[in-house]
Amino acid sequence: MATMNEGSEHQSEASSMGTGGGSEHGQQGNRRPRRKKRGNKKEDVKAVNDSGGAKSGKKKSGRSKSPKAGGHATKQRPAVEMSVIVNSVYLWDVSKEHTDEYVQQQQTYHQRHHMHPNHQQVAPYHFAPDMSCGSTSTPSDETPQSVVTIRAPHSPKTCQQHVVDDGGFSVIDTSFPNPHPPSVVHDKYWCQRRRLFSRFDMGVQLDSEGWFSVTPEIIADHVAKRVGELADSAAFQRGLPGSDIGENEGIVVLDAFCGCGGNAIAFGKIPRDKISLVVCVDIDRSKLRKAAYNASLYDIPNDKLVFIECNTMFVLMQCYKNGELVVDKLGVDVANMPASVETEDYAGYRIGGLESLPTRIDAVFMDPPWGGVDYSRQNSYDLEKNMKILIGPSEPVAKEQVGGLTDDFFDTFSSKPSRPKKGLYNKAKEGEYANGMDLVKMAALATKSHLVIYDLPRNTTKTSLGKSALAAGYRGNIKLEEHYLNGRLKTVTAYLGADYTSLLKDGEQ
């Protein structure tokens, strides 16, 4: 573009000078500009530097993309409103025979390829619900919103070991043949059953969908530990005036898409003074029963988990506002209310409907449906474009089988078709849908702390995550945690609602 602009400027200059030469100069006047063309360019540049663009302001304005009033051509960079801080965590559920060597390799790699960023450029976290996605307090001549990705410096503290010891059995077991048809449980899932649940042999219950959608136990435990640590953060101000949480009282976590209970059980393991109650929501009663039974195998206290049969979208949009239960105060149209469900005690836990909801929730954990068979084949996953969740009342999930399986949790992405993660939630139907960006805003407004923990596809774009956070009211920074299991990336989890600038100084604590 510079060559074209320069050529057009010189051509215009030569034409004007040739025309203005008059009859006295004749041909000589027409040739003079071509001989002086290159020399005049340097003189013009010098004149611009000396006079601030007064002599050849036309040229200078052509080169400047955003000239300021008074002829100043200084361009200001747009203010950064959201920094996605990426932090890698290394987990192990196998023997530590080769982990030390791997950790050393990772340290060397990060030192070479991920230099320490300038943390002073990352704004501190704050929440601004009154600022919509299209509004900002920055000057109008700057870009209203900006999303950047910064990788936290690598730290050996992020490398953790968790060797599953279940009667001397390994997490990988091929000695016992798969008793299920391959169309129900693929062999690759069956041989890793103890990776999903270390107490699987005690009678863990899973449906066909749960086999490929449940979070591996070591990763679920790690995320729950992170949430327990956040309970002591300034977001909750436990025991302080104006707080709804006592000094020695734990927070209430809403597990928005419970499934067969992998994450709910992990939250239930956290001490009661960190997490006091887990509200497990799913539209499928059979899944809730399986989750309750599995929780009993891990000896989770009966009063620490409550199971709610309801559409999660209704719970987030209609039942809670600013952490308070408001479904009775909003005057929801009876026609839009979910049908009443039976309350029962199953495996020692209560399963019911909206009447079983607690009076408050403090944080929301979401592992939503990701959109069917295509999500893992895409080079990138956009939360606004690729995720679709039915808002209105829907029928229970049908038990249908989808062919073309690949291990989307335990293998890297491939071009082959894969079985959908909770894909039947997203089966095309008539009705109103929410996308992944909408889901963040719903969860943020449902809690007083705005603490949202969001499990996402590994190929989720950082830009779409940052834009989703901005649209919900988050400002400053959020954290995206990458979970490497035995050296391979398995899952990613976003943490919204706290400040993570300390990661850029010291790494994960």
Side-chain angles (χ1 to χ4, degrees):
M1 292 296 293
T3 304
M4 294 177 63
N5 290 337
E6 292 172 6
S8 60
E9 290 173 359
H10 294 318
Q11 184 177 1
S12 176
E13 181 182 0
S15 176
S16 61
M17 294 182 65
T19 304
S23 59
E24 295 182 359
H25 296 282
Q27 296 298 326
Q28 185 178 359
N30 292 332
R31 290 194 299 269
R32 185 172 300 167
R34 290 195 292 272
R35 290 198 301 268
K36 290 187 176 182
K37 179 171 59 175
R38 296 185 181 276
N40 285 344
K41 179 181 177 181
K42 295 181 180 180
E43 294 175 1
D44 289 346
V45 172
K46 183 177 184 303
V48 169
N49 294 334
D50 294 339
S51 62
K55 181 174 181 179
S56 55
K58 184 176 181 180
K59 269 194 172 186
K60 191 64 181 178
S61 63
R63 292 175 179 273
S64 176
K65 294 182 179 179
S66 56
K68 302 298 180 181
H72 297 288
T74 302
K75 180 180 178 181
Q76 296 182 0
R77 299 182 62 183
V80 174
E81 292 192 22
M82 178 56 62
S83 298
V84 180
I85 302 176
V86 182
N87 185 61
S88 299
V89 176
Y90 300 89
L91 306 169
W92 309 86
D93 62 0
V94 295
S95 173
K96 200 180 178 183
E97 180 179 358
H98 303 293
T99 57
D100 292 336
E101 178 182 358
Y102 177 81
V103 170
Q104 182 62 38
Q105 293 175 353
Q106 290 299 310
Q107 288 176 324
T108 302
Y109 174 82
H110 282 270
Q111 289 172 358
R112 291 179 179 178
H113 298 277
H114 302 296
M115 302 302 293
H116 290 230
N118 184 359
H119 60 271
Q120 294 180 350
Q121 297 179 356
V122 179
Y125 161 76
H126 68 282
F127 190 78
D130 57 324
M131 297 173 65
S132 65
C133 185
S135 63
T136 178
S137 59
T138 56
S140 59
D141 59 345
E142 294 181 351
T143 302
Q145 294 169 344
S146 178
V147 177
V148 297
T149 299
I150 301 177
R151 183 169 291 275
H154 181 71
S155 171
K157 297 179 182 179
T158 62
C159 300
Q160 304 181 14
Q161 181 187 12
H162 176 82
V163 179
V164 176
D165 183 13
D166 185 13
F169 292 107
S170 170
V171 293
I172 305 297
D173 179 28
T174 58
S175 62
F176 192 80
N178 182 4
H180 305 282
S183 60
V184 177
V185 180
H186 197 276
D187 291 343
K188 64 178 67 178
Y189 295 105
W190 171 254
C191 71
Q192 299 182 82
R193 57 194 181 276
R194 298 194 189 101
R195 174 167 284 163
L196 304 179
F197 291 94
S198 62
R199 299 189 180 185
F200 183 89
D201 293 341
M202 296 177 63
V204 166
Q205 297 180 0
L206 291 172
D207 56 16
S208 58
E209 185 180 348
W211 275 97
F212 60 83
S213 63
V214 69
T215 304
E217 182 173 322
I218 184 176
I219 298 178
D221 288 345
H222 171 79
V223 173
K225 179 183 176 182
R226 285 279 187 257
V227 177
E229 294 169 351
L230 288 171
D232 293 327
S233 69
F236 298 105
Q237 300 179 339
R238 298 194 300 175
L240 297 180
S243 175
D244 299 327
I245 312 174
E247 182 177 1
N248 298 318
E249 183 183 2
I251 64 174
V252 178
V253 177
L254 175 70
D255 184 352
F257 301 89
C258 173
C260 293
N263 291 102
I265 293 171
F267 290 127
K269 296 177 185 177
I270 304 301
R272 196 180 293 272
D273 64 337
K274 303 291 185 183
I275 298 178
S276 61
L277 180 66
V278 185
V279 184
C280 313
V281 181
D282 204 286
I283 61 173
D284 190 343
R285 173 66 67 111
S286 66
K287 292 182 184 297
L288 295 175
R289 288 174 175 171
K290 290 179 174 61
Y293 181 81
N294 294 338
S296 69
L297 300 179
Y298 283 83
D299 302 319
I300 306 300
N302 296 344
D303 61 345
K304 199 170 183 180
L305 303 181
V306 59
F307 296 90
I308 308 297
E309 181 184 353
C310 186
N311 188 312
T312 295
M313 299 294 98
F314 184 86
V315 175
L316 291 177
M317 297 173 65
Q318 304 289 354
C319 296
Y320 289 97
K321 184 176 180 59
N322 204 31
E324 180 184 0
L325 182 65
V326 295
V327 64
D328 294 333
K329 302 177 182 179
L330 293 179
V332 180
D333 189 348
V334 177
N336 296 326
M337 288 288 291
S340 60
V341 299
E342 178 185 357
T343 300
E344 65 173 333
D345 288 332
Y346 192 87
Y349 300 91
R350 184 180 183 182
I351 303 178
L354 298 179
E355 72 282 352
S356 299
L357 288 172
T359 57
R360 79 166 204 271
I361 58 173
D362 303 308
V364 176
F365 170 79
M366 302 185 296
D367 185 7
W370 291 346
V373 298
D374 292 331
Y375 87 90
S376 64
R377 290 188 290 168
Q378 299 170 358
N379 293 329
S380 61
Y381 187 95
D382 188 287
L383 294 178
E384 183 179 12
K385 298 177 181 178
N386 300 123
M387 186 180 292
K388 181 188 293 186
I389 304 171
L390 186 65
I391 292 179
S394 61
E395 298 297 328
V397 178
K399 295 183 178 180
E400 302 177 13
Q401 305 301 329
V402 181
L405 301 182
T406 60
D407 190 351
D408 57 81
F409 250 91
F410 306 117
D411 290 338
T412 55
F413 290 118
S414 65
S415 59
K416 298 179 181 180
S418 62
R419 191 169 186 169
K421 176 181 172 62
K422 303 178 184 176
L424 296 179
Y425 273 94
N426 289 329
K427 187 175 180 182
K429 300 177 181 179
E430 293 183 1
E432 186 179 0
Y433 291 88
N435 56 45
M437 179 180 289
D438 299 328
L439 200 58
V440 176
K441 189 171 185 177
M442 294 177 191
L445 297 179
T447 64
K448 184 176 182 179
S449 67
H450 313 299
L451 182 61
V452 175
I453 304 92
Y454 200 2
D455 268 9
L456 299 168
R458 293 169 292 183
N459 57 340
T460 300
T461 65
K462 296 8 176 238
T463 300
S464 73
L465 174 60
K467 288 182 177 180
S468 298
L470 286 170
Y474 296 95
R475 297 294 184 269
N477 65 86
I478 60 176
K479 179 176 74 168
L480 181 65
E481 199 169 66
E482 299 175 332
H483 304 132
Y484 287 84
L485 182 56
N486 305 321
R488 300 175 65 185
L489 178 62
K490 301 304 173 187
T491 66
V492 298
T493 301
Y495 295 80
L496 304 91
D499 187 86
Y500 295 100
T501 53
S502 61
L503 295 178
L504 304 181
K505 305 174 184 178
D506 306 318
E508 186 64 80
Q509 300 297 319

